[in-house]
Amino acid sequence: MFRTALRNVLAHKARLLMTVLAVMLGVAFVSGTLVFTSTLSDATQKSSQKGFDGVDVAVQPHRPDTADAAPGKAPGLSQALLDRVAKVPGAAGATGTVDGFTAVADKKGQQAGNGTSARGRNYYPGADGKDARFPMTSGAAPKGPHEIALDSGTAAKTGYKVGDTVRLSVDGPVREARISGIFTTDDGAVSTGGSLALFDTATAQKLFAAPGEFSEIDVKAAPSTSQDALKAAVDKVLPDTAESVTGKKMADDQAEMIAKSMDGMKTGLLAFAGIALFVGIFIIANTFTMLVAQRTKELALMRAVGASRRQVTRSVLIEAFVVGAVAGVTGLLAGIGIGAGLRALTGALGTVPEGPLVVAPSTIVVSLLVGTVVTVLAAWLPGRRAAKIPPVAAMNSVHATATTKSLVVRNTIGAVLAGAGIACVLGATAMGTDGKGLLGLGAGLLTIGVFVLTPLLSRPLIAAAGPVLRAFGISGKLARQNAVRNPRRTAATASALMIGLTLVTGLTVIAGSVQKAVDKMATDALKADYVVSMATMGPLSPDVAKTLAADPQVTASSPVRSAAARVGGQTESLTGVDGRTIGELTNLDFAAGSLDGLGAPKTNRAVVDSGTAKEHGWQVGSSFEATFEDGKKGRLTVSGVFEGNELLRGILLDTSVLTPHQKHPTDAQVLVKAKDGVSEATKDALTETLGKNPAITVKDKKDVSESIAQVINLMLNMLYGLLAMAVVVAVLGVVNTLAMSVFERSQEIGMLRAIGLDRAGIKRMVRLESLVIALFGGVLGIGLGVFFGWAAGELIGSSMSAYELVLPWGRLGIFLALAAVVGMLAALWPARRAAKLNMLAAIKAE
């Protein structure tokens, strides 16, 4: 039986090719994901560990986690503490570190470095006048507020050299500095495309912390001192506001964090690989079902000469195992190639550190197991059917068709599953955000139920295409009959395409609806002409708001300043605004009260969003005590309750009340109303006022809307790209089904040719059959996708008041057109093969 199975594989290698390709693509996706994420994780971990090579113990700020503690940032580490730590037994030296965002402009005025990876840090010289972390390749260390040193990678990309003057920004205002030196570094942010500028310590402290304060103290151990021993010694001199951690613990925590971040990416990519493999299961089952049907006589003869049912089933499964093993090996090799390609691409973009390609033993095992297990499982049901062929069937060339009883059982099971799925989905929509699990269960049951019911659904839906097909004459009529002749095969073929389009449609509906809701929430509440913020959405210096307020073309402006406070034993968000002008710049929907009097002097008034008010039981006139960042307490009175939005939420109060309690006040953004309204000239003028700063963006409502759309479209396009694999596998399924269908109908096609149907008519018949099947799968997929998109939207809408269903009719039409294109392309080879059949040889075929 083993030799027979192997001979069958070799005898049908052309027919099994599409099955091998389908499984291979899924396995390649799996192995490529594992190789790429392992390589990325290994390179990132090694790069980050280099940063801890000179750190045996790190001292960091610590704030007691108690309800009475003042919220906000923990106090910095003083020079006196650094001096004490450096003198503990076992310490060979200590380095004070302070850093923060620093955007360096290139010679074209654009920011050098990748967004938040643009950093600034202090140069902390030792006794020899050098900082071992940053060896200078040319020039000298920075001295004074008007000098910086630049990393060699950024210098090479921008063309800067020692002596050049650069423009840079830390928190908004533009600064100019002379490049005093170029240095090399193992910093992980720089190796992934970021930039690093070094300041002298006093300048860095003023920019990123406070004079005389550090954000971290790194301690080096003496040769004979362990990290744990040094930590114990350091702990003895630390105040309650500081804590220590060993370099090994920091490296391990960093490695764990990187591994967790890779796990998220790996899980997401493997989910799409699983979808592709799930679609491939339909192809495998279809292929082996057809192979078994074609070998009815052969299998029946094997039973007649003594083969048991178990042996027949085993022979089919061995055949599937060989196919799966071949697909697994080729998929693994292709996946390694995909991983290497992605590694080269990310390396060329400079987004990940350099490192070798990592192919873990687990990747090899998983890839081979996935290929073989998926194929064998998909072939199990056809194998069971093969074993049930009675020996008497050897008298006939075709085995008995499915009985009415089996179809009734199938339809009953499908109806129950679909009904249960619909009930779960509808039940989930009534549960709000708590219904996620039930929605997932319902979606799975409904998808399976529709798949089981697809043979039943195929007849009426394909029959609806009858009037259109009649326009193609006898070819159209035959195409319709062929499509419904074997409803199970048509169902399996269409279902593969249905699953891909269900996911694509559902994601499109959800993304479009969320985009409109977020856009509405962000722009409807905005009356200001422009929103000014850091490009990285980082903290913005209050000097920016002052500069804009002094500009003659600005008629009204207000900073949006965030802080934390303790209210009722929990941390709440405070938002400081200019109470005198905020009404001109925003359009808040008040349920009670108003903005009136918010900016009046010596009145601690506040307006709160409805969610916060409901949580604390506040209403207009209520007063509450807040503990500010500096630990001082103040009593605020609620003068209005508004509906929160993406622009403003939480507790709003005037900056005159909030700012005195902030050690380092910063803004999130500045709202601006211009004298001449929105125009390119006004935007350019505001940009000029801010010094053509590469770190600051000036956006009008249209820009805000487009930035939201850009983010969502980017995510959606990435998902489309990942789901394309499932669609490609579905195309292979259509090709496979049509090719094997043509082989089965060789005699019939020969007869059609003999009675006058020309080659063009044969090609048209096969193409129309493929088109009908593809459109059938497309209609089911789009219908299910819209339903799931609506249901998911009901859950989202329970926590997003502006959410409303948006049906992108244009894109849905494109998806249906793409399904038609898939059907036409998939039919090219089978149609050509059918047209080339020799009519006499085909008529004689059994």
Side-chain angles (χ1 to χ4, degrees):
M1 295 300 292
F2 182 74
R3 288 197 299 271
T4 301
L6 290 180
R7 279 199 299 269
N8 282 327
V9 172
L10 296 175
H12 303 117
K13 51 183 177 289
R15 292 180 228 171
L16 293 170
L17 177 62
M18 295 297 175
T19 303
V20 171
L21 284 174
V23 181
M24 185 201 77
L25 286 174
V27 173
F29 207 151
V30 171
S31 58
T33 296
L34 295 175
V35 169
F36 177 62
T37 52
S38 297
T39 299
L40 191 61
S41 178
D42 181 72
T44 307
Q45 286 182 20
K46 287 180 178 177
S47 175
S48 65
Q49 285 170 359
K50 287 181 181 178
F52 301 115
D53 287 346
V55 182
D56 290 309
V57 172
V59 178
Q60 300 169 338
H62 170 68
R63 179 182 292 281
D65 187 20
T66 63
D68 296 329
K73 188 178 179 182
L77 309 172
S78 67
Q79 181 69 47
L81 177 60
L82 187 151
D83 293 338
R84 286 203 306 273
V85 168
K87 295 176 182 177
V88 301
T95 301
T97 299
V98 58
D99 68 352
F101 172 77
T102 300
V104 176
D106 60 21
K107 292 183 178 181
K108 296 180 180 179
Q110 302 300 315
Q111 182 182 332
N114 296 329
T116 54
S117 295
R119 307 296 295 173
R121 191 170 298 172
N122 68 310
Y123 186 88
Y124 193 87
D128 59 355
K130 297 179 181 179
D131 189 335
R133 301 172 299 173
F134 311 113
M136 294 288 164
T137 59
S138 62
K143 294 179 181 178
H146 302 298
E147 286 189 351
I148 66 165
L150 194 62
D151 73 271
S152 56
T154 303
K157 285 186 290 187
T158 57
Y160 285 132
K161 59 184 184 297
V162 174
D164 287 347
T165 298
V166 298
R167 296 168 64 250
L168 55 92
S169 176
V170 171
D171 55 2
V174 173
R175 304 169 188 271
E176 287 193 351
R178 174 184 167 274
I179 297 178
S180 65
I182 307 293
F183 63 92
T184 58
T185 178
D186 291 330
D187 188 280
V190 175
S191 63
T192 56
S195 63
L196 181 61
L198 298 181
F199 302 86
D200 70 282
T201 297
T203 302
Q205 288 175 329
K206 289 178 183 177
L207 293 175
F208 305 127
E213 287 188 358
F214 299 98
S215 55
E216 183 173 296
I217 297 173
D218 298 331
V219 191
K220 183 70 176 173
S224 58
T225 305
S226 68
Q227 289 189 355
D228 290 333
L230 179 60
K231 181 181 184 301
V234 168
D235 285 341
K236 293 178 182 179
V237 301
L238 294 184
D240 292 339
T241 56
E243 61 184 359
S244 68
V245 60
T246 63
K248 183 179 183 305
K249 177 73 165 53
M250 292 174 70
D252 291 344
D253 289 346
Q254 182 82 356
E256 184 180 353
M257 184 180 70
I258 292 170
K260 285 182 178 178
S261 66
M262 291 298 115
D263 284 344
M265 180 194 297
K266 185 189 297 183
T267 301
L269 291 173
L270 289 177
F272 288 98
I275 293 167
L277 285 167
F278 183 62
V279 173
I281 286 174
F282 293 102
I283 300 174
I284 300 164
N286 227 8
T287 301
F288 278 92
T289 297
M290 287 187 278
L291 287 174
V292 167
Q294 291 168 10
R295 286 158 43 200
T296 297
K297 199 169 187 178
E298 173 191 329
L299 294 173
L301 283 170
M302 289 171 62
R303 291 291 314 281
V305 297
S308 65
R309 287 189 173 186
R310 184 175 297 176
Q311 285 178 309
V312 171
T313 302
R314 195 181 303 150
S315 71
V316 175
L317 294 181
I318 290 172
E319 197 173 333
F321 178 83
V322 173
V323 172
V326 172
V329 171
T330 54
L332 172 62
L333 296 175
I336 293 173
I338 291 171
L342 290 173
R343 177 67 191 85
L345 176 62
T346 52
L349 295 174
T351 55
V352 295
E354 294 183 1
L357 192 70
V358 177
V359 184
S362 58
T363 299
I364 299 173
V365 172
V366 168
S367 300
L368 296 178
L369 278 177
V370 165
T372 53
V373 170
V374 167
T375 309
V376 170
L377 286 178
W380 177 73
L381 193 58
R384 281 190 73 241
R385 290 198 192 118
K388 291 182 178 180
I389 297 174
V392 73
M395 307 290 183
N396 260 318
S397 59
V398 180
H399 185 41
T401 58
T403 62
T404 303
K405 180 182 177 182
S406 67
L407 290 175
V408 170
V409 170
R410 175 171 180 150
N411 293 337
T412 302
I413 294 172
V416 170
L417 290 172
I422 292 172
C424 288
V425 170
L426 294 178
T429 59
M431 295 172 62
T433 54
D434 295 330
K436 294 177 184 176
L438 187 61
L439 177 62
L441 175 64
L445 288 173
L446 180 55
T447 302
I448 296 171
V450 170
F451 165 66
V452 175
L453 285 173
T454 309
L456 179 67
L457 297 172
S458 65
R459 290 186 178 277
L461 288 178
I462 292 176
V468 177
L469 292 174
R470 276 198 292 270
F472 294 94
I474 190 65
S475 296
K477 182 179 180 181
L478 290 171
R480 185 184 65 79
Q481 291 175 348
N482 290 334
V484 297
R485 177 185 298 182
N486 192 330
R488 294 190 180 193
R489 183 186 303 170
T490 298
T493 306
S495 295
L497 192 58
M498 175 193 80
I499 291 170
L501 284 176
T502 296
L503 293 168
V504 169
T505 303
L507 289 171
T508 302
V509 170
I510 294 169
S513 302
V514 168
Q515 178 182 323
K516 184 175 180 181
V518 173
D519 187 13
K520 184 178 180 181
M521 292 171 70
T523 59
D524 281 10
L526 189 65
K527 287 165 64 177
D529 295 322
Y530 295 98
V531 177
V532 179
S533 65
M534 294 290 283
T536 58
M537 302 309 294
L540 189 67
S541 168
D543 291 341
V544 173
K546 293 176 183 176
T547 301
L548 290 168
D551 192 325
Q553 65 189 326
V554 175
T555 58
S557 66
S558 171
V560 179
R561 185 169 300 169
S562 297
R566 288 280 187 183
V567 178
Q570 65 186 55
T571 301
E572 291 288 353
S573 173
L574 301 181
T575 301
V577 296
D578 188 332
R580 298 165 301 173
T581 61
I582 193 66
E584 300 177 55
L585 301 166
T586 59
N587 185 26
L588 300 182
D589 183 13
F590 276 87
S594 68
L595 286 166
D596 294 342
L598 187 65
K602 298 182 180 180
T603 56
N604 289 356
R605 295 187 181 184
V607 296
V608 299
D609 70 71
S610 54
T612 305
K614 183 178 180 181
E615 183 180 353
H616 290 279
W618 296 336
Q619 55 188 358
V620 174
S622 299
S623 65
F624 60 92
E625 189 175 71
T627 303
F628 296 96
E629 285 185 2
D630 59 356
K632 295 181 180 179
K633 296 180 179 181
R635 183 158 289 277
L636 302 173
T637 301
V638 178
S639 61
V641 179
F642 68 97
E643 291 297 326
N645 53 67
E646 290 297 301
L647 180 66
L648 295 172
R649 61 175 67 246
I651 302 170
L652 268 64
L653 64 164
D654 191 75
T655 51
S656 63
V657 178
L658 178 63
T659 304
H661 298 287
Q662 293 183 289
K663 189 175 183 180
H664 303 291
T666 58
D667 299 328
Q669 52 198 10
V670 180
L671 307 181
V672 176
K673 199 167 189 64
K675 181 169 56 178
D676 298 327
V678 177
S679 69
E680 283 300 316
T682 303
K683 185 175 181 181
D684 291 341
L686 290 173
T687 303
E688 186 74 33
T689 299
L690 296 171
K692 295 184 178 179
N693 197 319
I696 290 182
T697 60
V698 179
K699 295 181 178 179
D700 57 27
K701 278 189 179 184
K702 182 181 177 183
D703 295 330
V704 172
S705 178
E706 287 178 352
S707 63
I708 294 170
Q710 187 176 12
V711 171
I712 293 179
N713 284 334
L714 178 62
M715 294 176 61
L716 197 58
N717 289 335
M718 289 175 62
L719 294 174
Y720 284 165
L722 294 170
L723 286 170
M725 182 69 73
V727 176
V728 169
V729 173
V731 171
L732 292 176
V734 178
V735 174
N736 204 20
T737 299
L738 288 174
M740 300 190 78
S741 178
V742 167
F743 177 83
E744 282 184 351
R745 303 203 308 262
S746 295
Q747 190 175 48
E748 175 187 320
I749 291 171
M751 289 294 295
L752 290 171
R753 291 275 287 113
I755 62 175
L757 190 62
D758 58 12
R759 288 186 175 181
I762 295 292
K763 285 183 181 179
R764 193 180 304 117
M765 175 187 73
V766 176
R767 287 171 185 163
L768 289 173
E769 179 183 351
S770 176
L771 179 64
V772 167
I773 293 174
L775 287 175
F776 171 52
V779 168
L780 287 181
I782 292 172
L784 278 177
V786 168
F787 179 66
F788 292 148
W790 165 80
E794 290 296 300
L795 268 61
I796 297 171
S798 63
S799 58
M800 185 181 286
S801 57
Y803 184 91
E804 60 181 73
L805 182 67
V806 175
L807 291 180
W809 294 108
R811 289 200 179 188
L812 297 183
I814 290 173
F815 295 157
L816 193 60
L818 285 176
V821 171
V822 163
M824 296 302 291
L825 291 177
L828 290 178
W829 179 61
R832 189 165 175 271
R833 183 181 176 190
K836 281 190 170 184
L837 283 176
N838 183 294
M839 67 177 75
L840 294 179
I843 291 171
K844 289 169 62 179
E846 292 187 359

